[in-house]
Amino acid sequence: MTERTRSVWGWGWANEIPSGDALADLAAQVSAVLGAQVAPRPGPTRDAIRLAPPSVGPPADVASFCTTDAGERIAHTYGKSYCDQVRAFRGDFTGAPDFVALPRSDEEIAALIRACEGAGVALVPYGGGTSVVGGVEARSGAEPPRGKRGVVACDLRHLDRVLEVDLASRAARIQAGATGPRLEAQLAAHDLSMRHYPQSFEFSTLGGWIATRAGGHFATLYTHVDDLVESVRMITPRGVWESRRLPASGAGPSPDRLVLGSEGIFGVVTEAWVRVQARPRWRAGASVHFGRFDDAVAAARAIAQSGLYPSNCRVLDEREAMMNRVTVDGSSVLVLGFESADHPLEPWMDRALSICEDLGGKLPKEPDYRGEGAKSRADDAGAAWRKAFLRGPYLQSALVSLGVVADTFETACTWSAFADLRARVTSAVEAAMKEACGGGVVSCRFTHVYPDGPAPYFTFVAPGRDGAELEQWRAIKTAASEALAACGATITHHHAVGRVHRPWYDRERPEPFAAALRGAKAALDPAGVMNPGVLVD
Amino acid sequence: MTERTRSVWGWGWANEIPSGDALADLAAQVSAVLGAQVAPRPGPTRDAIRLAPPSVGPPADVASFCTTDAGERIAHTYGKSYCDQVRAFRGDFTGAPDFVALPRSDEEIAALIRACEGAGVALVPYGGGTSVVGGVEARSGAEPPRGKRGVVACDLRHLDRVLEVDLASRAARIQAGATGPRLEAQLAAHDLSMRHYPQSFEFSTLGGWIATRAGGHFATLYTHVDDLVESVRMITPRGVWESRRLPASGAGPSPDRLVLGSEGIFGVVTEAWVRVQARPRWRAGASVHFGRFDDAVAAARAIAQSGLYPSNCRVLDEREAMMNRVTVDGSSVLVLGFESADHPLEPWMDRALSICEDLGGKLPKEPDYRGEGAKSRADDAGAAWRKAFLRGPYLQSALVSLGVVADTFETACTWSAFADLRARVTSAVEAAMKEACGGGVVSCRFTHVYPDGPAPYFTFVAPGRDGAELEQWRAIKTAASEALAACGATITHHHAVGRVHRPWYDRERPEPFAAALRGAKAALDPAGVMNPGVLVD
């Protein structure tokens, strides 16, 4: 394997971000869509980045696994949000952590927490650093968090092993620092798979998924990591939080569900037993075209309520379909998929397609069946869509390098609320783009569908003004978030809260629940060292 | 409809508890099984019950919807556990609440909480009163809870309406005091059903289900009420806790999941939006017989991991099968069922039966298909089993009246842990029954199956000694609970914690989680009026 370098400012591997001719092509394409000329700009060079010296160094007790290396501090400054990438592209690393810890055991993490309590240092748990909501950025500018002398990023990359596999129960004990590819490679040795594929899969970690309630790419059923967790081990300032391995329980509120989504405010998740699966032997895929978006939505709803549980059931509106090159005729598309390790899928797909046909869906190509006894055919639309899904984050980085304001946001709402929500969000974002950028494009798709509602996912692209992109982005993001709040939808279906979504999160949650969280936080982390500023103050 | 009277001591309607010839038949049958003579004993008469006067009366502010009526105080003294029924059968109502509140609005409940804080009265939320774990019994004997002057039972029976239905989103807003039949009758007007059928269905309420994380009778998928809740409204001492209606969210830890299982310690649940379904149009059922119990378990596991998601997938061991008159030849039985509002079920049932046949299962009768285009056949084993399921609680009351020590307990564990768990639990219970009662019978079935493990459900029946039944029961229950704890299983899959399971619950949960719960409780209920003694002190 070639040694690859992580981009200092953008998503993932540096050499995977479009550059050269590919970037020029993208620039031409985006210029045409936006009606404004965009062009490549030079990115930062590592040598030109100036870091302030650490305001606090590693306490002696934990110095053996901590570093103040500039490269490590730079690499742990940001997540991968639009704002993170813009600031990094400018070479602005003002908020770098003072030092980085690289523990190799739970004991070292417990020692680090104690040392942080003693030294007044804020501890930010760091998995893949793929947060798009400021989840790993404890400093706001140069200042450390209130009442703290500095910040340490606690990177779990050395805790990346599958420790135990229970074949009969289809479960595995996995360390929190394992990335998607790392844990899948180890599970593959047992012919198992976790099959949790968030878009950040390549870099994000099990611990990060748990801390942020990550959503996988399956459209229905067990797709949020919440449902894949059998038990969790977390090191808190009050000791080890470890739940029993239970398929289900009715013994009080679920301890795991309080860890899920806690975003590091209670402790550092170090391992979990998760539910795994046999690798699929049968797959079925189809792309159904609809002249009217509303009909595609109706079909997705009927399938979500049918009990068929497809692994894929994504609606792309006409803009999404065109931008992803799935259709070019203005159709909306429903991308359908089923998969199973147990049985051929024709009856499932047949019934789902019959639902689509009843609602006006057209099947330009026969469905694609793969597996024993099935004829295999290429399903171009599905394949094109999947490729676009995995390339998405790299594309955003390319747009950042072009000075384009480009981001996504997502929510969930009831079926009855969706039409109004889409209209209000689209018009709010269009108005904000017009005002801040002179124009732009917003599109919508569903990433997940539930019996009671979809998870709509919006993408917007607008021309940026050099140096003003952050303010432009903020105006659009605020308009979008206010529109979601006005519709009673959630500020996030799977991107988490972090620091970016905090104002809308505070309005979304019941106030007594906020009081309960503060009470729990005070009991577990009285010194307030764990990821301060996230979820509660 | 005939006016029916609730039994003052036993389960449900007084006239449904076996008596007369039916009770004599049961006595003969049980005598034969236990090898000890049992015979009907006279139950309590309401006139003979002596209640202590209330130690505190309703505060003036809330007196208009409170009562100290003796009948109401008696009816709200206990849940329906074995111990509750034995004490009530003896006419012992020492622990009666001082008064009963019957609020008609959230405002009245908020006023009641304030009045309880002012007067030092403990408030026990009361739905159907079907707790089998002491969940509604705040007094231990004559003494009120520590630091309190008395106890009020807050009965939600006047809050029993379906307030709103969202057909497109398949959701309904329902008041917490609605029993299963009440809410189903109102949903039926919209051709919808919640399809949540705990064994207590006839009397238990939506609010009670939520507070205790009730399990429905479906064997797989969305069966715990946890998964059916879209949002909850709860009145706490710190104000109204109301979550947004969301199909899913990734915004911090789920507020609803902290309410689910909170057993009244944070507030009174007054309503919820729940997910409802179209009424099923197709059903398929079959009973598969296995010579070896282990093979039936293996089949249940394979089906639980297949992605077929049957609505019923219950394994009865040879004793359960015989006691429920499903088989008489010593076979174990797997009762399989599928149902759908969307599609015929032959492919699902065919594949599940093929899994069973591969593991040695025999099908004494063809599967039964009902619905459009399906031929209908009687499936005697399934029908016999369902009848027994619904009659179960009445049967237990009859056994109480015979002086028999009879109870059930349940758990969940991984597939890999099950064989050892069953062996250890069975031998611990048999040894305890031998020691305390001179003998007895214990049997096992699965009520629910998950990809990573089953929910085993145990029933024990042993001869009682007049006046010593509570001590005998305690010895057996303690042995069973210790065996579960030793196996790392949960103390309850769907019966909740209450006061009975508290010692084992305290050992089961992670200690930092207990600290978090205490912190949350202190923040929400600083005066400690809400159901004291449950979950936290």
Side-chain angles (χ1 to χ4, degrees):
Chain A
M1 197 171 99
T2 321
E3 186 71 23
R4 290 185 292 184
T5 314
R6 290 284 291 268
S7 169
V8 74
W9 62 272
W11 180 261
W13 306 113
N15 64 346
E16 295 276 344
I17 301 174
S19 63
D21 289 351
L23 187 59
D25 285 354
L26 181 67
Q29 203 184 324
V30 172
S31 299
V33 169
L34 295 181
Q37 214 52 42
V38 303
R41 303 178 303 168
T45 57
R46 210 175 265 251
D47 297 343
I49 297 168
R50 270 178 295 278
L51 277 189
S55 61
V56 59
D61 288 357
V62 297
S64 65
F65 59 90
C66 292
T67 175
T68 55
D69 174 76
E72 290 284 5
R73 290 178 62 210
I74 289 170
H76 291 84
T77 304
Y78 294 124
K80 293 296 175 191
S81 74
Y82 174 78
C83 294
D84 295 342
Q85 296 190 43
V86 169
R87 288 180 292 173
F89 195 82
R90 293 176 183 171
D92 171 8
F93 288 85
T94 318
D98 298 285
F99 60 100
V100 175
L102 296 161
R104 290 180 179 276
S105 68
D106 287 3
E107 291 68 31
E108 289 189 344
I109 291 169
L112 181 66
I113 293 174
R114 279 194 305 275
C116 287
E117 288 184 313
V121 172
L123 190 162
V124 180
Y126 188 100
T130 58
S131 171
V132 292
V133 293
V136 295
E137 183 189 356
R139 260 180 216 272
S140 168
E143 287 303 305
R146 197 175 53 220
K148 293 287 172 286
R149 295 172 52 217
V151 172
V152 55
C154 178
D155 186 321
L156 301 192
R157 69 188 182 221
H158 293 317
L159 301 169
D160 69 345
R161 280 173 308 140
V162 172
L163 298 172
E164 213 173 326
V165 165
D166 177 348
L167 273 175
S169 312
R170 299 275 169 87
R173 183 158 72 96
I174 306 179
Q175 289 184 303
T179 62
R182 277 291 293 153
L183 65 85
E184 284 295 337
Q186 294 171 80
L187 290 172
H190 305 273
D191 235 6
L192 294 172
S193 170
M194 187 171 168
R195 304 197 68 57
H196 182 69
Y197 300 116
Q199 203 168 18
S200 59
F201 173 79
E202 200 174 354
F203 302 100
S204 56
T205 61
L206 175 61
W209 300 342
I210 291 171
T212 61
R213 298 178 70 188
H217 90 306
F218 293 111
T220 70
L221 225 52
Y222 303 123
T223 181
H224 263 277
V225 77
D226 308 42
D227 294 315
L228 306 183
V229 168
E230 192 181 69
S231 80
V232 179
R233 183 174 167 90
M234 177 168 73
I235 312 299
T236 81
R238 281 281 293 256
V240 178
W241 171 314
E242 183 163 23
S243 56
R244 286 193 192 166
R245 283 188 64 193
L246 298 171
S249 173
S254 163
D256 295 342
R257 296 279 180 169
L258 194 55
V259 175
L260 284 153
S262 61
E263 302 195 10
I265 68 166
F266 296 138
V268 181
V269 173
T270 60
E271 61 183 61
W273 275 96
V274 299
R275 299 178 179 119
V276 296
Q277 300 168 47
R279 305 181 81 76
R281 292 165 60 198
W282 290 273
R283 293 176 200 270
S287 291
V288 189
H289 292 208
F290 291 85
R292 288 164 21 100
F293 178 69
D294 290 352
D295 291 337
V297 172
R301 173 166 84 83
I303 292 169
Q305 295 174 345
S306 69
L308 293 167
Y309 304 117
S311 52
N312 204 346
C313 182
R314 279 177 174 71
V315 173
L316 314 186
D317 76 3
E318 57 281 15
R319 280 193 181 140
E320 287 275 335
M322 280 211 268
M323 291 199 299
N324 288 288
R325 300 176 193 186
V326 175
T327 63
V328 288
D329 64 352
S331 299
S332 295
V333 176
L334 177 61
V335 183
L336 263 179
F338 289 89
E339 57 174 55
S340 175
D342 181 76
H343 46 261
L345 294 159
E346 281 79 353
W348 280 255
M349 181 59 94
D350 285 350
R351 174 60 195 146
L353 291 176
S354 148
I355 290 173
C356 291
E357 279 159 18
D358 288 349
L359 289 157
K362 304 281 176 219
L363 204 60
K365 291 180 184 170
E366 286 297 297
D368 174 35
Y369 292 102
R370 285 156 202 257
E372 291 158 39
K375 54 185 170 185
S376 175
R377 288 209 198 178
D379 174 29
D380 295 328
W385 182 85
R386 275 192 296 277
K387 194 174 164 196
F389 176 73
L390 292 172
R391 291 290 302 161
Y394 287 109
L395 187 65
Q396 190 195 23
S397 293
L399 293 173
V400 167
S401 76
L402 295 174
V404 172
V405 182
D407 203 2
T408 61
F409 60 91
E410 30 81 79
T411 186
C413 64
T414 58
W415 289 109
S416 55
F418 170 67
D420 180 53
L421 177 140
R422 178 172 178 247
R424 287 166 78 166
V425 166
T426 301
S427 87
V429 169
E430 283 177 345
M433 289 192 299
K434 179 118 183 113
E435 164 104 15
C437 308
V441 179
V442 57
S443 61
C444 178
R445 66 174 186 257
F446 293 164
T447 56
H448 303 76
V449 290
Y450 300 89
D452 50 340
Y457 189 96
F458 294 89
T459 300
F460 63 83
V461 182
R465 271 194 318 284
D466 207 21
E469 298 98 328
L470 294 179
E471 292 66 35
Q472 292 177 301
W473 173 88
R474 192 164 297 113
I476 303 165
K477 176 73 176 177
T478 300
S481 302
E482 289 293 328
L484 292 178
C487 294
T490 179
I491 190 62
T492 178
H493 172 268
H494 59 267
H495 282 173
V497 176
R499 290 160 180 91
V500 170
H501 286 152
R502 185 69 199 281
W504 297 279
Y505 169 68
D506 282 7
R507 284 151 60 186
E508 175 174 336
R509 66 180 165 190
E511 187 45 43
F513 177 66
L517 269 190
R518 284 190 291 267
K521 167 85 170 171
L524 289 177
D525 179 25
V529 297
M530 295 305 311
N531 212 6
V534 167
L535 300 187
V536 292
D537 290 311
Chain B
M1 197 172 103
T2 320
E3 187 70 23
R4 290 187 291 185
T5 313
R6 291 284 291 269
S7 169
V8 75
W9 61 272
W11 179 260
W13 305 114
N15 64 345
E16 296 277 343
I17 300 173
S19 62
D21 288 352
L23 187 60
D25 284 355
L26 181 68
Q29 203 184 324
V30 171
S31 300
V33 168
L34 296 181
Q37 214 53 41
V38 302
R41 303 178 302 165
T45 56
R46 211 175 264 252
D47 297 343
I49 297 167
R50 269 176 296 276
L51 277 190
S55 62
V56 58
D61 288 356
V62 297
S64 65
F65 59 89
C66 292
T67 176
T68 55
D69 173 76
E72 290 284 5
R73 291 178 62 209
I74 289 169
H76 291 83
T77 303
Y78 293 123
K80 293 296 176 191
S81 73
Y82 174 78
C83 293
D84 296 341
Q85 295 189 43
V86 168
R87 288 179 294 172
F89 195 82
R90 292 175 183 171
D92 172 8
F93 288 84
T94 318
D98 299 284
F99 60 101
V100 176
L102 297 160
R104 291 180 178 274
S105 68
D106 287 4
E107 292 68 31
E108 289 188 345
I109 291 168
L112 180 67
I113 292 174
R114 281 195 302 276
C116 286
E117 288 184 312
V121 172
L123 189 162
V124 180
Y126 188 101
T130 58
S131 171
V132 292
V133 291
V136 295
E137 184 189 355
R139 260 179 215 273
S140 169
E143 286 305 303
R146 195 173 57 217
K148 294 286 174 284
R149 294 173 52 219
V151 172
V152 55
C154 178
D155 186 321
L156 300 192
R157 69 188 181 221
H158 293 317
L159 300 170
D160 69 346
R161 279 174 308 142
V162 173
L163 297 172
E164 215 173 324
V165 166
D166 177 348
L167 273 174
S169 311
R170 300 274 169 87
R173 183 159 71 96
I174 306 178
Q175 290 184 303
T179 61
R182 276 292 291 154
L183 65 85
E184 284 295 338
Q186 293 172 81
L187 290 172
H190 305 273
D191 234 5
L192 294 171
S193 169
M194 187 171 167
R195 304 198 68 58
H196 182 68
Y197 301 117
Q199 202 166 21
S200 59
F201 174 78
E202 201 175 356
F203 301 100
S204 56
T205 62
L206 175 60
W209 300 341
I210 291 171
T212 61
R213 299 179 71 189
H217 90 305
F218 293 111
T220 70
L221 225 52
Y222 304 124
T223 181
H224 263 277
V225 78
D226 309 41
D227 293 315
L228 306 182
V229 169
E230 192 181 69
S231 81
V232 179
R233 184 175 165 90
M234 176 169 74
I235 313 299
T236 81
R238 279 282 292 257
V240 178
W241 171 316
E242 182 163 24
S243 56
R244 286 194 192 165
R245 283 187 63 195
L246 299 172
S249 174
S254 164
D256 295 342
R257 296 279 180 170
L258 193 56
V259 175
L260 284 153
S262 60
E263 302 195 9
I265 67 166
F266 295 138
V268 181
V269 174
T270 61
E271 61 184 63
W273 275 96
V274 298
R275 298 180 180 117
V276 295
Q277 300 170 49
R279 305 181 81 77
R281 291 164 60 196
W282 290 274
R283 292 174 199 271
S287 291
V288 188
H289 292 207
F290 290 85
R292 288 165 20 100
F293 177 70
D294 290 351
D295 291 338
V297 171
R301 173 165 86 83
I303 293 169
Q305 296 173 345
S306 68
L308 293 167
Y309 304 116
S311 52
N312 205 346
C313 182
R314 280 177 171 71
V315 172
L316 314 187
D317 75 3
E318 59 280 16
R319 277 191 184 142
E320 286 276 335
M322 279 214 266
M323 290 199 299
N324 289 287
R325 300 178 191 183
V326 176
T327 63
V328 289
D329 64 352
S331 299
S332 294
V333 176
L334 176 60
V335 183
L336 263 179
F338 289 90
E339 58 173 55
S340 175
D342 181 76
H343 45 261
L345 294 159
E346 281 79 353
W348 281 254
M349 181 58 94
D350 284 351
R351 175 60 195 146
L353 291 177
S354 148
I355 290 172
C356 291
E357 279 159 17
D358 287 350
L359 289 158
K362 303 282 176 219
L363 204 61
K365 291 182 184 170
E366 286 298 298
D368 173 36
Y369 291 104
R370 287 155 202 255
E372 293 158 37
K375 55 185 172 185
S376 176
R377 288 208 198 178
D379 174 30
D380 295 329
W385 182 84
R386 276 192 295 277
K387 193 175 164 194
F389 176 71
L390 292 172
R391 291 289 302 161
Y394 287 111
L395 186 65
Q396 189 194 25
S397 292
L399 293 173
V400 167
S401 76
L402 294 174
V404 172
V405 181
D407 204 2
T408 62
F409 61 92
E410 31 82 77
T411 187
C413 64
T414 57
W415 289 110
S416 55
F418 170 67
D420 179 54
L421 177 139
R422 177 169 178 250
R424 287 166 78 165
V425 167
T426 301
S427 89
V429 169
E430 282 175 348
M433 289 191 298
K434 178 118 184 118
E435 164 104 16
C437 309
V441 179
V442 58
S443 62
C444 178
R445 66 173 186 256
F446 293 164
T447 55
H448 304 76
V449 290
Y450 300 89
D452 50 338
Y457 189 97
F458 294 88
T459 301
F460 64 83
V461 181
R465 271 195 318 282
D466 209 18
E469 297 98 328
L470 294 180
E471 291 67 35
Q472 292 177 301
W473 172 88
R474 192 163 298 113
I476 303 164
K477 176 74 177 176
T478 300
S481 302
E482 289 294 329
L484 292 178
C487 294
T490 179
I491 190 63
T492 178
H493 171 270
H494 59 267
H495 282 175
V497 177
R499 291 161 179 89
V500 170
H501 287 152
R502 185 68 198 281
W504 296 280
Y505 169 69
D506 283 7
R507 284 152 58 186
E508 175 174 336
R509 65 179 166 191
E511 186 46 40
F513 177 66
L517 269 190
R518 283 189 292 265
K521 166 86 170 171
L524 290 177
D525 179 24
V529 297
M530 295 306 310
N531 213 7
V534 168
L535 300 187
V536 292
D537 290 312

